[in-house]
Structures are given as C-alpha cells and as structure tokens.
Amino acid sequence: MSVLVLVEHDGKSIKDATLATVTAASKLGEVHALVAGNNVDAVAQAAAKIAGVAKVYTASSPALEHQLAEAVAPVAAGLMESHDAFVVPATTTGKNIAPRVAALLDVMQITDILSVEGPDTFTRPIYAGNAIATVKSNDAKKVITVRTTAFEKAAAEGGSGTVEQVDAAGDPGTSSFVSLDASESERPELTSAKVIVSGGRAFGSSDQFHALLDPLADKLGAAVGASRAAVDAGYAPNDYQVGQTGKIVAPEVYVAIGISGAIQHLAGMKDSKTIIAINKDEEAPIFQVADIGLVGDLFKIVPELTEKL
Amino acid sequence: MKLLVAVKRVIDFNVKPRVKMDGSGVDLANVKMSMNPFDEIAVEEAIRLKEKGVATEIVAVSIGPAKAQETLRTALAMGADRAILVQTDEEVEPLAVAKVLAKIAEEEQPGMIILGKQAIDDDNNATGQMLAALLGWPQGTFASKIEVSDTATVTREVDGGLETVKLNLPAVVTTDLRLNEPRYASLPNIMKAKSKPLATKSPGDYCVDVARRLETIKVTEPAKRQAGIKVGSVDELVERLKGLGIAK
C-alpha cells in the first residue's frame, strides 16, 4: 500500500504534527509526503529527511501559499490516483482539507484515529472521547485524519526520500486569504509543549490569569492553556483553549489550576503523562484523573509555587 | 439571499453518554436529545443575517429519524422560515449527508449554507467541507465571525490564532463556538413554529445511497485514569515536580 501524508508546515519549517502522522501512516504502507505551498523547497528538503518518508511531492504556486482547502484539495485528490490512503494530521489545517479531498474521491473519512488495527480498521474517539469506536472502512481508498498525540513522532532526521515536483493545478479562484492574526508568544506552542500550565474560571479576571500563570509558566518553560470557561469569560484568547472543542494536548506534565475538570476539558488533556491539579474544591472531578493533587486557594498556592521553583 | 442551515438531532450536551454493555454503541434509549450545539449557532447566525437584511429566507434541513422534526421545529421557533426533513432511520454518515444537502442546494439555490463544524455524537467535523467539495463552492470552516456583502469574509479559529478568508458566493460556512450565543425561542414563537411549513422527504427522493462506508465493529469505554495522590503543601508539590525532572 502506498500512503500520502499531508505535511503540516508554515512555509518555512515542518510542524511536529507531521511527524506523528508519518508514524501512523507507516503502519499502513510506504509513506510519501505532499508539501503544498509557495516556494517551499526548504520544507520539501526537510520532509525528505523524516525517517520513513520514501518520496516527497512538492506542489508550489502562489494559490497554495496559505494552504486554502479549495487549492490544496484538487492537488491531493490528483495524487491519490496513485496512492491508497491519504493521511493527514487532525490540526485545523488538516481538518479543513481532508474531508474536501474525501468527498472529491467519494470516500467516507476516518476521523481522528487513535490507533491502526489493520489495513482498514482503526479506533477513534466519539462523543467527546466518552467512547472509543473501532471502525472498518469499506472504501477502496482511505482518507484518514490522525490524532497526533496518540502516535510517537517519527525522527525528523535520518530519512533520504526523493523530491519530485508535481503540477500545482489551477487556482480555483473562489477564495482568497485576507490575514492571519497570529498569537505572538515567546512560549512553546500548546500542542508541542513538554509542560503546560492551564487556568480555569477560578482566576476571576484576565489580569489575575496572566499575573499568576505567566510567571509560573516562565519558571517551568511551559506553554499556557485555559479551560473553555476561562476562554468564554475572556481571561485568555481562543487559541489557549484545551478541550474537545479546542486543542487536544498530551504533554509530559499538565498542571490544571482552578479547573474543575468538565468532560469537555478532560477530553483534551487526559492523555497527558502526568496530571497535576490545584483546586480549592476537593470534590472537583479533575482530582479523579490527577496523579498529584493539591487542595487549596490558587491565589496563595500559585505565587508560593512560582517562588519556590 | 436565501440561506440553508443544516441541523442534527443529537444526545443533549449535558448528558454523559453511556456505552452499551454489548459494545454495539452508545445507549440512546430514554436519553434527552437536542439540537447539536454547533448547529444552534448556525441557525442563530442565519437569523442574525436575516435581521441585518442580508438574508431574505432561511430554510432549515435535517437528515435523520422522524423525531428530527422536533429539532427542525426548534429551528423554526428560533426564526427559520421553513424546514425540510429527509427522513431515514439509518445512521447517515457525513458523506451521505453532504450528498443529500448538495441535491437540496441545487434545488433551493441558497447564497450560503451554514452548518455546525461538527456534531457532538460522531465528532467527524466533515460534512461542511464535503458539501463544499461536492458543490465546487469555497468553504469557511470554524467561523468565529461572518460578514456578508457581495462576498463573505469569514474569520476562522485556527491553531495559531485567527485567519480571515474571503469567499465568493455561494459558499459553505461552518460555525465555531464563539460565533454567537444562540437565542432561546419564546413561547409565542414556539406556537407560531407549529404552523410553519415542514416538508418530509426521503434520501431516495434525492437519489442518494445512504449505505454506510464505515462499519462499527465495537464501541468501548475509554481506558480510565487512576486517581493519584494528594499532597499537603506547596513544598511537597515542589519535591514532586523535581522528581518529574521539570523543576530544579
């Protein structure tokens, strides 16, 4: 079986989500990679070095610069004539593009897989992770999105794939990029951070959220996350949100502070290696999943913790 | 401009789903069902576009069992003008839903189709993108802001922040959580909704084969995490963090 992986990149470098996707894809067959963008030779060279990638296809054109689904999907669908599966990281970019490719191929997508059980059998979370379904695809070709936290990352070095240019297809011209309002941060990205400190509604205000969490995150070299309640209350921007409807994370250490542990939040972080919870309510559901819990007032605990680290 | 909104009847988001003992699925017997929360946001956005004078008519569509009528009546009570139920007792996958919606779009010729970004039961996040592909329309997924003139400017919630794209119309838009806060239907509007038109069709009427492509082999509970220990002080916590190698 030959498998086409969509490379997640920002025009300059490969995102870690790609590496986990390569691992998932390699369980199905020989891995080829698609780099779609504009002037992405450096990204293609980097993709060819990923362990396990045999071949890299580069599609380059101004229309592909921002990887809009309307432009990328026909390129991927074209390459699928010679591949058996299209495997994509379940990032916002991947989730935007993969179903569009699936429909062009008349295939039902297998979404957010957690494991590969066989050439056509996979497990995936349903009901916000409250149940795990084992599904078998009867489509001849597969379109799959991968929950990247469920797979080890392939080594970024060590491969020696070939690079081939492919036709970038025409610009459908139905959509255009206007702007990206990127959240600037010196801290690691949530989805690739080793340590995450996350805050909930208990912080009471945006000022207190940042005044207390930022210094702690700096001490731990951690990314900062937030519960949906904290985001909805305006304490933190949208892209801080960890949970079923936000980001799915699985760091080495996840520190949940003032977060009660709603199902929708747990769905986004329960695969973390070690979970630490700080909450004043000892009955909070977060303690049922935490490895280490500390009951108490976060306004006292967090400054003390930051100072003692 | 006419707007099409798609709504799905799902388990209420406040209910904790229980996996059936025989592993065949999630137990939905005697469980409260509601409109998928993301679809509620889609209906609300359509109504706001009508209130702004951008849209002239809102058609709500659901593909599902006879009881999905209730979900459509909710959409009508919120402010949709008429509804279409494509009735089937099969569990219909996003690809088949997209095919039915594409046929309805050809008939109705809407200027925009608004859907929830995902249903909270099967969590596929695929129908809108598939529908856009089948129609050859542009797509604005995970929208947190929609502005419509002769084009649609959609702000999307992406991993690195907020991306804004401009779409030619007609277009497909899928909603994210922060697009709006859906209204509650008032009692007079709930009464009024009972007399709004609701057409019942079948997938066969649109010549769409709804046979499943994915077979569910089994459904299980996720592995449970064991609760760990509680520490009594910040000093103890610091020691633990040192033990984990993340503090010096």
Side-chain angles (χ1 to χ4, degrees), chain B residues 192-214:
Chain B
K192 240 169 46 188
K194 290 186 177 162
S195 56
K196 287 186 179 176
L198 191 157
T200 304
K201 304 272 193 180
S202 76
D205 292 339
Y206 300 100
C207 307
V208 173
D209 176 9
V210 296
R212 292 179 66 83
R213 307 288 188 87
L214 295 185

Side-chain angles (χ1 to χ4, degrees), chain B residues 33-148:
Chain B
M33 304 291 279
S34 300
M35 188 189 296
N36 180 41
F38 291 103
D39 301 347
E40 253 184 318
I41 296 171
V43 174
E44 175 65 33
E45 194 64 17
I47 297 165
R48 291 187 189 189
L49 288 169
K50 194 178 168 193
E51 285 168 348
K52 278 187 207 156
V54 175
T56 49
E57 190 190 16
I58 301 166
V59 183
V61 183
S62 191
I63 294 137
K67 282 199 166 164
Q69 272 198 31
E70 293 165 14
T71 314
L72 287 169
R73 290 286 171 206
T74 304
L76 294 170
M78 287 172 73
D81 297 294
R82 60 188 172 90
I84 302 169
L85 171 63
V86 182
Q87 197 178 318
T88 169
D89 288 326
E90 301 294 316
E91 217 181 297
V92 188
E93 289 170 343
L95 181 65
V97 170
K99 286 178 180 177
V100 172
L101 290 173
K103 285 282 167 68
I104 294 175
E106 281 165 19
E107 275 180 24
E108 298 280 348
Q109 300 281 317
M112 194 190 289
I113 307 176
I114 313 179
L115 310 87
K117 75 166 181 181
Q118 76 189 63
I120 62 165
D121 50 4
D122 61 17
D123 285 329
N124 268 305
N125 192 332
T127 305
Q129 297 89 315
M130 289 180 159
L131 174 60
L134 296 174
L135 292 167
W137 293 4
Q139 66 190 44
T141 51
F142 329 142
S144 64
K145 194 175 170 199
I146 304 172
E147 283 174 298
V148 182

Side-chain angles (χ1 to χ4, degrees), chain A residues 1 22 97 126 133 150 168 199 217 258 261 270 277 279 288 293 304 309:
Chain A
M1 199 191 273
V22 167
I97 293 169
I126 53 175
K270 66 180 166 54
N279 202 297
Q288 290 167 19
E304 188 186 342
L309 282 170

Side-chain angles (χ1 to χ4, degrees), chain A residues 128-144:
Chain A
N130 282 296
I132 307 296
T134 304
V135 295
K136 179 171 177 286
S137 165
N138 293 321
D139 284 312
K141 294 190 191 267
K142 321 285 180 217
V143 173
I144 297 164

Side-chain angles (χ1 to χ4, degrees), chain A residues 40-52:
Chain A
V40 281
D41 291 345
V43 179
Q45 293 303 331
K49 289 202 187 83
I50 300 173

Side-chain angles (χ1 to χ4, degrees), chain A residues 130-132, chain B residues 17-27 219-222:
Chain A
N130 282 296
I132 307 296
Chain B
R18 305 250 171 239
V19 173
K20 283 191 216 166
M21 294 297 278
D22 65 0
S24 64
V26 165
D27 194 357
V219 175
T220 55
E221 297 253 359

Side-chain angles (χ1 to χ4, degrees), chain A residues 70 95-96 100 106 111 124 127-128 132 134 136 138-139 174 176 179 181 238 270 272 290-291 293, chain B residues 99 121-124 129 137 139 141 159 162 164 166 168 178 213 215 217-218 220 225 228-229 231:
Chain A
E70 295 81 358
K95 289 191 279 196
N96 191 38
R100 197 164 172 115
D106 192 28
T111 306
R124 56 175 303 259
Y127 292 88
I132 307 296
T134 304
K136 179 171 177 286
N138 293 321
D139 284 312
T174 53
S176 56
S179 62
D181 182 4
N238 300 341
K270 66 180 166 54
S272 306
D291 300 287
Chain B
K99 286 178 180 177
D121 50 4
D122 61 17
D123 285 329
N124 268 305
Q129 297 89 315
W137 293 4
Q139 66 190 44
T141 51
D159 288 337
L162 293 171
T164 304
K166 200 166 164 186
N168 290 357
R178 279 162 284 272
R213 307 288 188 87
E215 215 177 298
I217 310 260
K218 64 175 179 192
T220 55
R225 254 190 112 97
I229 52 129
V231 294

